[in-house]
Amino acid sequence: MLIEVSKTIKAARKSAHLTQVQLAKAIGCAPLTISRYECGQRTPSLKILAQIAEVVGVSIADLLGGCDVVYKH
């Protein structure tokens, strides 16, 4: 499941036309942290997943379930 979450975070970020730096700034973490989430080296907490989902415009379920990511804004 970790691999799928990392892929969906990256896909959602790219669909929202955000860089890792922009996403990191929006949720208040370091860009390296976003990179580690996307590479599967770290697992984001549910709180962080909620923040990522809000910023990129998808649901937490989309991030966890690996659904097709569609930018909702």
Side-chain angles (χ1 to χ4, degrees), residues 5 8-10 12-13 16 18 23-24 26-27 29 33-34 37-38 44-60 63:
V5 172
T8 57
I9 289 172
K10 185 174 185 174
R13 176 183 59 78
L18 296 172
L23 178 56
I27 67 168
C29 74
T33 302
I34 300 298
Y37 292 154
E38 292 182 359
S45 67
L46 189 54
K47 179 181 176 181
I48 296 296
L49 277 176
Q51 291 174 330
I52 292 171
E54 183 176 341
V55 170
V56 300
V58 300
S59 71
I60 294 172
L63 293 178

Side-chain angles (χ1 to χ4, degrees), residues 2-32:
L2 178 60
I3 293 171
E4 290 302 316
V5 172
S6 65
K7 289 179 182 178
T8 57
I9 289 172
K10 185 174 185 174
R13 176 183 59 78
K14 287 187 170 195
S15 291
H17 306 287
L18 296 172
T19 65
Q20 289 180 345
V21 172
Q22 290 168 323
L23 178 56
K25 185 175 180 180
I27 67 168
C29 74
L32 181 59

